[in-house]
Amino acid sequence: MTERQKDRPWLMRTYAGHSTAEASNELYRRNLAKGQTGLSVAFDLPTQTGYDPDHILARGEVGRVGVPVSHLGDMRRLFQDIPLEQMNTSMTINATAMWLLALYQVVAEEQGDDITKLQGTTQNDIVKEYLSRGTHVFPPGPSLRLTTDMIAYTVSHIPKWNPINICSYHLQEAGATPVQEIAYAMSTAIAVLDAVRDSGQVPAERMGDVVARISFFVNAGVRFVEEMCKMRAFGRIWEEITRERYGIENPKQRRFRYGVQVNSLGLTEAQPENNVQRIVLEMLAVTLSKDARARAVQLPAWNEALGLPRPWDQQWSLRIQQVLAHESDLLEYEDIFEGSHVIEEKVGRLVEESLAEIDRIQEMGGAMAAVESGYLKSQLVASHAERRARIESGQEKIVGVNIYESTEPNPLTADLDAAIQTVDPAVEARVVASLQHWRDTRYQPPFNHPRPCKALERLKEAAKGTANLMEATLECARAGVTTGEWAGALREVFGEFRAPTGVSSAPVAVTAEEGTAMALVRRRVEETARDLGVGKLRFLVGKPGLDGHSNGAEQIAVRARDAGFEVVYQGIRLTPEEIVDAAVAEDVHAVGLSILSGSHAQLVPDVLERLRVAGATDIPVIAGGIIPNGDAEQLRAAGVAAVFTPKDFDITGIIGRIVEEIRKANKLDPLEVPA
């Protein structure tokens, strides 16, 4: 073959941040020294949902799934000694994206940087928050306005910044099929571009600049041929929409630009070493095809289903990328799938089905209307329920989970407590004390910030009118306003939003024909209700704290409903007090708590204590989520009836176990188990 220049590798990132701004800064500088070529900032849940670390809902969540950034001082410390003008920084932040970008810009200005040279991305895709990730704050209308204002601002002031990263990643985590992932992401893009065009903030001749800065963040699962075809279909549909709907003539501006984090949904707690080959296969889906190659890649770590990865685990994932880019010959060829009739047929089918679904959503009034009606959420809950049913029946095979389950002892997890990163529980108290110090001293030297109340009043005035909110937000950042104060001011004007759960409208996924496991569980539910003298057993599924990963809770709620329970599920973001009040008011027979963020150690015992005070100790509490072994033992010792983690994939079996715990708590004899 004739020599051709080797392609440049994609940006290599690691999604990282935890505990404090100082600890995360040290981690970033270490990762950059290892050859990482971009930063990907994970923020903790209070930062993502617009609460300060001392808010009641922030308890147990501070510094757990990311770094707490409560004000300008935290952002300064986060990027200390990291020259922002030379950095490509991705920030996974949505409802509070405008606020974090404002803090980032002010820190860059303080470093003496030219902000027109800043490069990076704010995720800023609020639609998928309503559907899958749950860190939304405001209703859809105001949320779309914040996104629109940011896009208009960056196009004029930070032209190399990607102000939105339309994110289908979490849709796949919530059960989306490839067609749903493409259609829902593209419908979101249409809603955003229409809003920018119709806002009048960007002249028509500059819409090409807007389109050129729209990026996508996608997921790649283990079915890597299908996933690669999905990426080609994505590119083809984007080309068509931008050309025909928005009249963008420049092919460079129409290019489908995407970053990827490969699938975490398929990572298993059982035989977690298998996750390494899963991650490699998933990365191939988004790198093999030159015409549909990701611009940036970040990989999860092998132990993510067990808990928070350590720096060494993240390094292993970075090395996977580096071996592929630098040791293999992948980057030496043109697109190796060009002309394949198999690939062409699959891509054509995905394009056709996705366009049909996009049309269906447009007929409903677009993505925002389809969120508010609950259509998109119920479709995802149904798809996820079908996937779970296929795994439980063995139709969808997962090595180490429902096939080839026997295993040698695993040296990687011999000491489970040392196999993951743990966040010191004392971190939260330190962060809260630091915030209090900031509030007390922000007006004094060396910072001399102006009093924040004026900046916040100006923000509220802007929110009540139609002005672009970015300038008022920058003023708040410079005035030393906190994350909770900024979001609180906008909450006063915009209100808050509780998204539809999709549970009540989800179809039955597992039937109860005679002889099936489901039929047996249904019978046990009916018998137990009869023994207790009630019409139906009542089960409350609760999500305490700020964890918005509601997929597991929704699947438990749907299966419990199908097994004959009356299910009380009010969605995400509840305090332990609200959960206990609901449990007592609804006179439930069991409470199930779902937490994936690591705050179980504080929030679950709080629920138990409040039930005890309310005199409801006969209500068994079941916990589920990413809960390390040591924590699970502590929860059981505190009085939790049962703990379930990702290895417990048999949902029907879990529902059966909940019935047993209800019988035990009410001193009923165990039901006969058929031989």
Side-chain angles (χ1 to χ4, degrees), residues 312-341:
W312 182 81
D313 308 311
Q314 294 190 327
Q315 176 185 300
W316 189 356
S317 288
L318 176 63
R319 296 290 185 249
I320 291 172
Q321 296 200 54
Q322 290 167 331
V323 168
L324 181 68
H326 302 298
E327 293 186 27
S328 85
D329 59 352
L330 174 74
L331 296 172
E332 294 170 17
Y333 295 93
E334 292 300 329
D335 196 285
I336 59 175
F337 295 101
E338 200 55 57
S340 161
H341 64 90

PDB file of all heavy atoms in Angstrom, residues 312-341:
ATOM      1  N   TRP A 312      -5.739   3.994  39.710  1.00  0.00           N
ATOM      2  CA  TRP A 312      -5.129   2.909  38.935  1.00  0.00           C
ATOM      3  C   TRP A 312      -6.127   2.306  37.934  1.00  0.00           C
ATOM      4  O   TRP A 312      -5.778   1.998  36.797  1.00  0.00           O
ATOM      5  CB  TRP A 312      -4.616   1.816  39.887  1.00  0.00           C
ATOM      6  CG  TRP A 312      -3.930   0.702  39.151  1.00  0.00           C
ATOM      7  CD1 TRP A 312      -2.647   0.683  38.696  1.00  0.00           C
ATOM      8  CD2 TRP A 312      -4.514  -0.551  38.768  1.00  0.00           C
ATOM      9  NE1 TRP A 312      -2.404  -0.506  38.049  1.00  0.00           N
ATOM     10  CE2 TRP A 312      -3.515  -1.288  38.073  1.00  0.00           C
ATOM     11  CE3 TRP A 312      -5.774  -1.130  38.930  1.00  0.00           C
ATOM     12  CZ2 TRP A 312      -3.746  -2.558  37.568  1.00  0.00           C
ATOM     13  CZ3 TRP A 312      -6.000  -2.396  38.420  1.00  0.00           C
ATOM     14  CH2 TRP A 312      -4.999  -3.099  37.751  1.00  0.00           C
ATOM     15  N   ASP A 313      -7.386   2.160  38.364  1.00  0.00           N
ATOM     16  CA  ASP A 313      -8.411   1.605  37.468  1.00  0.00           C
ATOM     17  C   ASP A 313      -8.643   2.545  36.286  1.00  0.00           C
ATOM     18  O   ASP A 313      -8.822   2.108  35.142  1.00  0.00           O
ATOM     19  CB  ASP A 313      -9.729   1.398  38.226  1.00  0.00           C
ATOM     20  CG  ASP A 313      -9.532   0.602  39.507  1.00  0.00           C
ATOM     21  OD1 ASP A 313      -8.883  -0.453  39.436  1.00  0.00           O
ATOM     22  OD2 ASP A 313     -10.004   1.050  40.570  1.00  0.00           O
ATOM     23  N   GLN A 314      -8.656   3.843  36.566  1.00  0.00           N
ATOM     24  CA  GLN A 314      -8.841   4.825  35.496  1.00  0.00           C
ATOM     25  C   GLN A 314      -7.645   4.815  34.551  1.00  0.00           C
ATOM     26  O   GLN A 314      -7.801   4.959  33.341  1.00  0.00           O
ATOM     27  CB  GLN A 314      -9.051   6.214  36.098  1.00  0.00           C
ATOM     28  CG  GLN A 314     -10.358   6.312  36.878  1.00  0.00           C
ATOM     29  CD  GLN A 314     -10.700   7.738  37.268  1.00  0.00           C
ATOM     30  OE1 GLN A 314      -9.831   8.549  37.531  1.00  0.00           O
ATOM     31  NE2 GLN A 314     -11.974   8.051  37.299  1.00  0.00           N
ATOM     32  N   GLN A 315      -6.458   4.627  35.101  1.00  0.00           N
ATOM     33  CA  GLN A 315      -5.259   4.552  34.258  1.00  0.00           C
ATOM     34  C   GLN A 315      -5.360   3.358  33.305  1.00  0.00           C
ATOM     35  O   GLN A 315      -5.004   3.451  32.131  1.00  0.00           O
ATOM     36  CB  GLN A 315      -4.009   4.412  35.140  1.00  0.00           C
ATOM     37  CG  GLN A 315      -2.713   4.237  34.349  1.00  0.00           C
ATOM     38  CD  GLN A 315      -1.537   3.986  35.268  1.00  0.00           C
ATOM     39  OE1 GLN A 315      -1.221   4.811  36.107  1.00  0.00           O
ATOM     40  NE2 GLN A 315      -0.889   2.832  35.133  1.00  0.00           N
ATOM     41  N   TRP A 316      -5.840   2.225  33.807  1.00  0.00           N
ATOM     42  CA  TRP A 316      -6.001   1.021  32.982  1.00  0.00           C
ATOM     43  C   TRP A 316      -6.908   1.341  31.785  1.00  0.00           C
ATOM     44  O   TRP A 316      -6.601   0.993  30.647  1.00  0.00           O
ATOM     45  CB  TRP A 316      -6.590  -0.091  33.855  1.00  0.00           C
ATOM     46  CG  TRP A 316      -6.629  -1.464  33.246  1.00  0.00           C
ATOM     47  CD1 TRP A 316      -6.270  -1.819  31.979  1.00  0.00           C
ATOM     48  CD2 TRP A 316      -7.047  -2.671  33.891  1.00  0.00           C
ATOM     49  NE1 TRP A 316      -6.437  -3.176  31.791  1.00  0.00           N
ATOM     50  CE2 TRP A 316      -6.916  -3.714  32.952  1.00  0.00           C
ATOM     51  CE3 TRP A 316      -7.525  -2.962  35.165  1.00  0.00           C
ATOM     52  CZ2 TRP A 316      -7.252  -5.036  33.263  1.00  0.00           C
ATOM     53  CZ3 TRP A 316      -7.858  -4.276  35.473  1.00  0.00           C
ATOM     54  CH2 TRP A 316      -7.718  -5.306  34.534  1.00  0.00           C
ATOM     55  N   SER A 317      -8.014   2.049  32.032  1.00  0.00           N
ATOM     56  CA  SER A 317      -8.927   2.404  30.943  1.00  0.00           C
ATOM     57  C   SER A 317      -8.271   3.360  29.942  1.00  0.00           C
ATOM     58  O   SER A 317      -8.497   3.261  28.738  1.00  0.00           O
ATOM     59  CB  SER A 317     -10.202   3.033  31.513  1.00  0.00           C
ATOM     60  OG  SER A 317     -10.976   2.039  32.148  1.00  0.00           O
ATOM     61  N   LEU A 318      -7.457   4.288  30.448  1.00  0.00           N
ATOM     62  CA  LEU A 318      -6.736   5.200  29.547  1.00  0.00           C
ATOM     63  C   LEU A 318      -5.744   4.416  28.691  1.00  0.00           C
ATOM     64  O   LEU A 318      -5.616   4.654  27.476  1.00  0.00           O
ATOM     65  CB  LEU A 318      -6.008   6.272  30.371  1.00  0.00           C
ATOM     66  CG  LEU A 318      -5.124   7.260  29.594  1.00  0.00           C
ATOM     67  CD1 LEU A 318      -5.962   8.097  28.628  1.00  0.00           C
ATOM     68  CD2 LEU A 318      -4.367   8.159  30.562  1.00  0.00           C
ATOM     69  N   ARG A 319      -5.063   3.455  29.299  1.00  0.00           N
ATOM     70  CA  ARG A 319      -4.083   2.652  28.552  1.00  0.00           C
ATOM     71  C   ARG A 319      -4.754   1.829  27.445  1.00  0.00           C
ATOM     72  O   ARG A 319      -4.144   1.574  26.397  1.00  0.00           O
ATOM     73  CB  ARG A 319      -3.313   1.727  29.508  1.00  0.00           C
ATOM     74  CG  ARG A 319      -2.454   2.458  30.539  1.00  0.00           C
ATOM     75  CD  ARG A 319      -1.253   3.149  29.910  1.00  0.00           C
ATOM     76  NE  ARG A 319      -0.399   3.745  30.928  1.00  0.00           N
ATOM     77  CZ  ARG A 319      -0.251   5.056  31.116  1.00  0.00           C
ATOM     78  NH1 ARG A 319      -0.908   5.916  30.349  1.00  0.00           N
ATOM     79  NH2 ARG A 319       0.557   5.512  32.053  1.00  0.00           N
ATOM     80  N   ILE A 320      -5.988   1.391  27.667  1.00  0.00           N
ATOM     81  CA  ILE A 320      -6.713   0.660  26.614  1.00  0.00           C
ATOM     82  C   ILE A 320      -6.792   1.528  25.359  1.00  0.00           C
ATOM     83  O   ILE A 320      -6.536   1.077  24.236  1.00  0.00           O
ATOM     84  CB  ILE A 320      -8.134   0.264  27.095  1.00  0.00           C
ATOM     85  CG1 ILE A 320      -8.067  -0.800  28.193  1.00  0.00           C
ATOM     86  CG2 ILE A 320      -8.976  -0.249  25.928  1.00  0.00           C
ATOM     87  CD1 ILE A 320      -9.414  -1.102  28.858  1.00  0.00           C
ATOM     88  N   GLN A 321      -7.147   2.802  25.542  1.00  0.00           N
ATOM     89  CA  GLN A 321      -7.235   3.725  24.409  1.00  0.00           C
ATOM     90  C   GLN A 321      -5.870   3.921  23.751  1.00  0.00           C
ATOM     91  O   GLN A 321      -5.742   3.941  22.522  1.00  0.00           O
ATOM     92  CB  GLN A 321      -7.726   5.094  24.870  1.00  0.00           C
ATOM     93  CG  GLN A 321      -9.122   5.123  25.436  1.00  0.00           C
ATOM     94  CD  GLN A 321      -9.673   6.537  25.396  1.00  0.00           C
ATOM     95  OE1 GLN A 321      -9.698   7.172  24.355  1.00  0.00           O
ATOM     96  NE2 GLN A 321     -10.118   7.028  26.535  1.00  0.00           N
ATOM     97  N   GLN A 322      -4.841   4.099  24.597  1.00  0.00           N
ATOM     98  CA  GLN A 322      -3.512   4.394  24.063  1.00  0.00           C
ATOM     99  C   GLN A 322      -2.945   3.221  23.269  1.00  0.00           C
ATOM    100  O   GLN A 322      -2.302   3.421  22.237  1.00  0.00           O
ATOM    101  CB  GLN A 322      -2.579   4.793  25.217  1.00  0.00           C
ATOM    102  CG  GLN A 322      -2.950   6.163  25.804  1.00  0.00           C
ATOM    103  CD  GLN A 322      -2.256   6.447  27.126  1.00  0.00           C
ATOM    104  OE1 GLN A 322      -1.931   5.522  27.882  1.00  0.00           O
ATOM    105  NE2 GLN A 322      -2.036   7.716  27.427  1.00  0.00           N
ATOM    106  N   VAL A 323      -3.181   1.995  23.726  1.00  0.00           N
ATOM    107  CA  VAL A 323      -2.711   0.811  22.989  1.00  0.00           C
ATOM    108  C   VAL A 323      -3.373   0.760  21.610  1.00  0.00           C
ATOM    109  O   VAL A 323      -2.711   0.539  20.589  1.00  0.00           O
ATOM    110  CB  VAL A 323      -2.986  -0.484  23.793  1.00  0.00           C
ATOM    111  CG1 VAL A 323      -2.768  -1.715  22.931  1.00  0.00           C
ATOM    112  CG2 VAL A 323      -2.092  -0.540  25.034  1.00  0.00           C
ATOM    113  N   LEU A 324      -4.688   0.995  21.571  1.00  0.00           N
ATOM    114  CA  LEU A 324      -5.394   0.956  20.283  1.00  0.00           C
ATOM    115  C   LEU A 324      -4.868   2.039  19.337  1.00  0.00           C
ATOM    116  O   LEU A 324      -4.611   1.790  18.160  1.00  0.00           O
ATOM    117  CB  LEU A 324      -6.904   1.135  20.498  1.00  0.00           C
ATOM    118  CG  LEU A 324      -7.743   1.085  19.217  1.00  0.00           C
ATOM    119  CD1 LEU A 324      -7.736  -0.310  18.608  1.00  0.00           C
ATOM    120  CD2 LEU A 324      -9.181   1.514  19.488  1.00  0.00           C
ATOM    121  N   ALA A 325      -4.677   3.255  19.860  1.00  0.00           N
ATOM    122  CA  ALA A 325      -4.278   4.382  19.009  1.00  0.00           C
ATOM    123  C   ALA A 325      -2.826   4.292  18.560  1.00  0.00           C
ATOM    124  O   ALA A 325      -2.503   4.629  17.415  1.00  0.00           O
ATOM    125  CB  ALA A 325      -4.515   5.694  19.759  1.00  0.00           C
ATOM    126  N   HIS A 326      -1.951   3.819  19.447  1.00  0.00           N
ATOM    127  CA  HIS A 326      -0.519   3.921  19.149  1.00  0.00           C
ATOM    128  C   HIS A 326       0.142   2.594  18.764  1.00  0.00           C
ATOM    129  O   HIS A 326       1.161   2.607  18.068  1.00  0.00           O
ATOM    130  CB  HIS A 326       0.221   4.550  20.336  1.00  0.00           C
ATOM    131  CG  HIS A 326      -0.295   5.912  20.683  1.00  0.00           C
ATOM    132  ND1 HIS A 326      -0.238   6.969  19.803  1.00  0.00           N
ATOM    133  CD2 HIS A 326      -0.905   6.384  21.799  1.00  0.00           C
ATOM    134  CE1 HIS A 326      -0.783   8.042  20.374  1.00  0.00           C
ATOM    135  NE2 HIS A 326      -1.201   7.711  21.577  1.00  0.00           N
ATOM    136  N   GLU A 327      -0.412   1.454  19.191  1.00  0.00           N
ATOM    137  CA  GLU A 327       0.216   0.174  18.855  1.00  0.00           C
ATOM    138  C   GLU A 327      -0.445  -0.500  17.654  1.00  0.00           C
ATOM    139  O   GLU A 327       0.220  -1.182  16.889  1.00  0.00           O
ATOM    140  CB  GLU A 327       0.180  -0.769  20.065  1.00  0.00           C
ATOM    141  CG  GLU A 327       1.047  -0.300  21.224  1.00  0.00           C
ATOM    142  CD  GLU A 327       1.095  -1.326  22.358  1.00  0.00           C
ATOM    143  OE1 GLU A 327       0.931  -2.534  22.086  1.00  0.00           O
ATOM    144  OE2 GLU A 327       1.303  -0.917  23.517  1.00  0.00           O
ATOM    145  N   SER A 328      -1.774  -0.316  17.508  1.00  0.00           N
ATOM    146  CA  SER A 328      -2.460  -0.979  16.392  1.00  0.00           C
ATOM    147  C   SER A 328      -2.327  -0.133  15.118  1.00  0.00           C
ATOM    148  O   SER A 328      -1.862   1.012  15.163  1.00  0.00           O
ATOM    149  CB  SER A 328      -3.937  -1.191  16.722  1.00  0.00           C
ATOM    150  OG  SER A 328      -4.683  -0.033  16.399  1.00  0.00           O
ATOM    151  N   ASP A 329      -2.759  -0.697  13.984  1.00  0.00           N
ATOM    152  CA  ASP A 329      -2.694   0.043  12.707  1.00  0.00           C
ATOM    153  C   ASP A 329      -4.022   0.713  12.354  1.00  0.00           C
ATOM    154  O   ASP A 329      -4.248   1.123  11.222  1.00  0.00           O
ATOM    155  CB  ASP A 329      -2.267  -0.897  11.573  1.00  0.00           C
ATOM    156  CG  ASP A 329      -3.225  -2.074  11.395  1.00  0.00           C
ATOM    157  OD1 ASP A 329      -4.137  -2.233  12.249  1.00  0.00           O
ATOM    158  OD2 ASP A 329      -3.073  -2.838  10.426  1.00  0.00           O
ATOM    159  N   LEU A 330      -4.903   0.847  13.348  1.00  0.00           N
ATOM    160  CA  LEU A 330      -6.254   1.376  13.109  1.00  0.00           C
ATOM    161  C   LEU A 330      -6.253   2.717  12.368  1.00  0.00           C
ATOM    162  O   LEU A 330      -7.073   2.952  11.481  1.00  0.00           O
ATOM    163  CB  LEU A 330      -6.972   1.540  14.460  1.00  0.00           C
ATOM    164  CG  LEU A 330      -8.347   2.208  14.403  1.00  0.00           C
ATOM    165  CD1 LEU A 330      -9.379   1.254  13.837  1.00  0.00           C
ATOM    166  CD2 LEU A 330      -8.781   2.659  15.789  1.00  0.00           C
ATOM    167  N   LEU A 331      -5.323   3.619  12.728  1.00  0.00           N
ATOM    168  CA  LEU A 331      -5.369   4.987  12.209  1.00  0.00           C
ATOM    169  C   LEU A 331      -4.650   5.142  10.864  1.00  0.00           C
ATOM    170  O   LEU A 331      -4.487   6.246  10.368  1.00  0.00           O
ATOM    171  CB  LEU A 331      -4.767   5.949  13.243  1.00  0.00           C
ATOM    172  CG  LEU A 331      -5.536   6.033  14.569  1.00  0.00           C
ATOM    173  CD1 LEU A 331      -4.778   6.855  15.593  1.00  0.00           C
ATOM    174  CD2 LEU A 331      -6.925   6.595  14.376  1.00  0.00           C
ATOM    175  N   GLU A 332      -4.257   4.006  10.262  1.00  0.00           N
ATOM    176  CA  GLU A 332      -3.494   4.073   9.000  1.00  0.00           C
ATOM    177  C   GLU A 332      -4.363   3.920   7.756  1.00  0.00           C
ATOM    178  O   GLU A 332      -3.856   4.022   6.641  1.00  0.00           O
ATOM    179  CB  GLU A 332      -2.404   2.986   9.001  1.00  0.00           C
ATOM    180  CG  GLU A 332      -1.335   3.228  10.063  1.00  0.00           C
ATOM    181  CD  GLU A 332      -0.401   2.035  10.238  1.00  0.00           C
ATOM    182  OE1 GLU A 332      -0.366   1.164   9.333  1.00  0.00           O
ATOM    183  OE2 GLU A 332       0.280   1.970  11.284  1.00  0.00           O
ATOM    184  N   TYR A 333      -5.670   3.669   7.927  1.00  0.00           N
ATOM    185  CA  TYR A 333      -6.511   3.327   6.776  1.00  0.00           C
ATOM    186  C   TYR A 333      -7.687   4.282   6.608  1.00  0.00           C
ATOM    187  O   TYR A 333      -8.145   4.910   7.566  1.00  0.00           O
ATOM    188  CB  TYR A 333      -7.056   1.897   6.927  1.00  0.00           C
ATOM    189  CG  TYR A 333      -5.970   0.853   6.900  1.00  0.00           C
ATOM    190  CD1 TYR A 333      -5.394   0.403   8.091  1.00  0.00           C
ATOM    191  CD2 TYR A 333      -5.495   0.349   5.692  1.00  0.00           C
ATOM    192  CE1 TYR A 333      -4.375  -0.535   8.074  1.00  0.00           C
ATOM    193  CE2 TYR A 333      -4.477  -0.597   5.672  1.00  0.00           C
ATOM    194  CZ  TYR A 333      -3.918  -1.038   6.862  1.00  0.00           C
ATOM    195  OH  TYR A 333      -2.898  -1.962   6.843  1.00  0.00           O
ATOM    196  N   GLU A 334      -8.186   4.337   5.367  1.00  0.00           N
ATOM    197  CA  GLU A 334      -9.465   5.004   5.101  1.00  0.00           C
ATOM    198  C   GLU A 334     -10.569   4.155   5.734  1.00  0.00           C
ATOM    199  O   GLU A 334     -10.292   3.121   6.344  1.00  0.00           O
ATOM    200  CB  GLU A 334      -9.674   5.153   3.585  1.00  0.00           C
ATOM    201  CG  GLU A 334      -8.718   6.133   2.922  1.00  0.00           C
ATOM    202  CD  GLU A 334      -8.826   7.551   3.475  1.00  0.00           C
ATOM    203  OE1 GLU A 334      -9.936   7.939   3.903  1.00  0.00           O
ATOM    204  OE2 GLU A 334      -7.808   8.250   3.521  1.00  0.00           O
ATOM    205  N   ASP A 335     -11.830   4.516   5.526  1.00  0.00           N
ATOM    206  CA  ASP A 335     -12.911   3.780   6.188  1.00  0.00           C
ATOM    207  C   ASP A 335     -12.978   2.337   5.683  1.00  0.00           C
ATOM    208  O   ASP A 335     -13.159   2.097   4.484  1.00  0.00           O
ATOM    209  CB  ASP A 335     -14.253   4.472   5.953  1.00  0.00           C
ATOM    210  CG  ASP A 335     -15.287   3.961   6.934  1.00  0.00           C
ATOM    211  OD1 ASP A 335     -15.782   2.826   6.748  1.00  0.00           O
ATOM    212  OD2 ASP A 335     -15.564   4.664   7.909  1.00  0.00           O
ATOM    213  N   ILE A 336     -12.804   1.377   6.591  1.00  0.00           N
ATOM    214  CA  ILE A 336     -12.702  -0.029   6.179  1.00  0.00           C
ATOM    215  C   ILE A 336     -14.070  -0.673   5.922  1.00  0.00           C
ATOM    216  O   ILE A 336     -14.139  -1.819   5.480  1.00  0.00           O
ATOM    217  CB  ILE A 336     -11.908  -0.866   7.218  1.00  0.00           C
ATOM    218  CG1 ILE A 336     -12.578  -0.796   8.590  1.00  0.00           C
ATOM    219  CG2 ILE A 336     -10.464  -0.410   7.294  1.00  0.00           C
ATOM    220  CD1 ILE A 336     -11.926  -1.693   9.657  1.00  0.00           C
ATOM    221  N   PHE A 337     -15.175   0.057   6.194  1.00  0.00           N
ATOM    222  CA  PHE A 337     -16.512  -0.519   5.971  1.00  0.00           C
ATOM    223  C   PHE A 337     -17.172   0.012   4.696  1.00  0.00           C
ATOM    224  O   PHE A 337     -18.266  -0.399   4.355  1.00  0.00           O
ATOM    225  CB  PHE A 337     -17.412  -0.233   7.176  1.00  0.00           C
ATOM    226  CG  PHE A 337     -16.926  -0.911   8.429  1.00  0.00           C
ATOM    227  CD1 PHE A 337     -16.221  -0.196   9.387  1.00  0.00           C
ATOM    228  CD2 PHE A 337     -17.130  -2.266   8.637  1.00  0.00           C
ATOM    229  CE1 PHE A 337     -15.743  -0.812  10.535  1.00  0.00           C
ATOM    230  CE2 PHE A 337     -16.658  -2.887   9.782  1.00  0.00           C
ATOM    231  CZ  PHE A 337     -15.960  -2.160  10.729  1.00  0.00           C
ATOM    232  N   GLU A 338     -16.488   0.956   4.052  1.00  0.00           N
ATOM    233  CA  GLU A 338     -17.047   1.552   2.836  1.00  0.00           C
ATOM    234  C   GLU A 338     -17.323   0.446   1.822  1.00  0.00           C
ATOM    235  O   GLU A 338     -16.440  -0.367   1.528  1.00  0.00           O
ATOM    236  CB  GLU A 338     -16.035   2.565   2.264  1.00  0.00           C
ATOM    237  CG  GLU A 338     -16.645   3.584   1.321  1.00  0.00           C
ATOM    238  CD  GLU A 338     -17.798   4.345   1.953  1.00  0.00           C
ATOM    239  OE1 GLU A 338     -17.608   4.975   3.000  1.00  0.00           O
ATOM    240  OE2 GLU A 338     -18.900   4.258   1.394  1.00  0.00           O
ATOM    241  N   GLY A 339     -18.571   0.395   1.296  1.00  0.00           N
ATOM    242  CA  GLY A 339     -18.903  -0.592   0.263  1.00  0.00           C
ATOM    243  C   GLY A 339     -19.398  -1.920   0.812  1.00  0.00           C
ATOM    244  O   GLY A 339     -19.733  -2.822   0.034  1.00  0.00           O
ATOM    245  N   SER A 340     -19.487  -2.083   2.124  1.00  0.00           N
ATOM    246  CA  SER A 340     -20.007  -3.337   2.682  1.00  0.00           C
ATOM    247  C   SER A 340     -21.527  -3.330   2.584  1.00  0.00           C
ATOM    248  O   SER A 340     -22.186  -2.473   3.173  1.00  0.00           O
ATOM    249  CB  SER A 340     -19.584  -3.476   4.145  1.00  0.00           C
ATOM    250  OG  SER A 340     -20.417  -4.417   4.795  1.00  0.00           O
ATOM    251  N   HIS A 341     -22.090  -4.309   1.847  1.00  0.00           N
ATOM    252  CA  HIS A 341     -23.559  -4.314   1.679  1.00  0.00           C
ATOM    253  C   HIS A 341     -24.250  -4.662   3.004  1.00  0.00           C
ATOM    254  O   HIS A 341     -25.377  -4.231   3.263  1.00  0.00           O
ATOM    255  CB  HIS A 341     -23.980  -5.263   0.546  1.00  0.00           C
ATOM    256  CG  HIS A 341     -23.671  -6.712   0.811  1.00  0.00           C
ATOM    257  ND1 HIS A 341     -24.556  -7.541   1.439  1.00  0.00           N
ATOM    258  CD2 HIS A 341     -22.569  -7.454   0.535  1.00  0.00           C
ATOM    259  CE1 HIS A 341     -24.017  -8.754   1.555  1.00  0.00           C
ATOM    260  NE2 HIS A 341     -22.812  -8.727   1.010  1.00  0.00           N
TER     261      HIS A 341
END
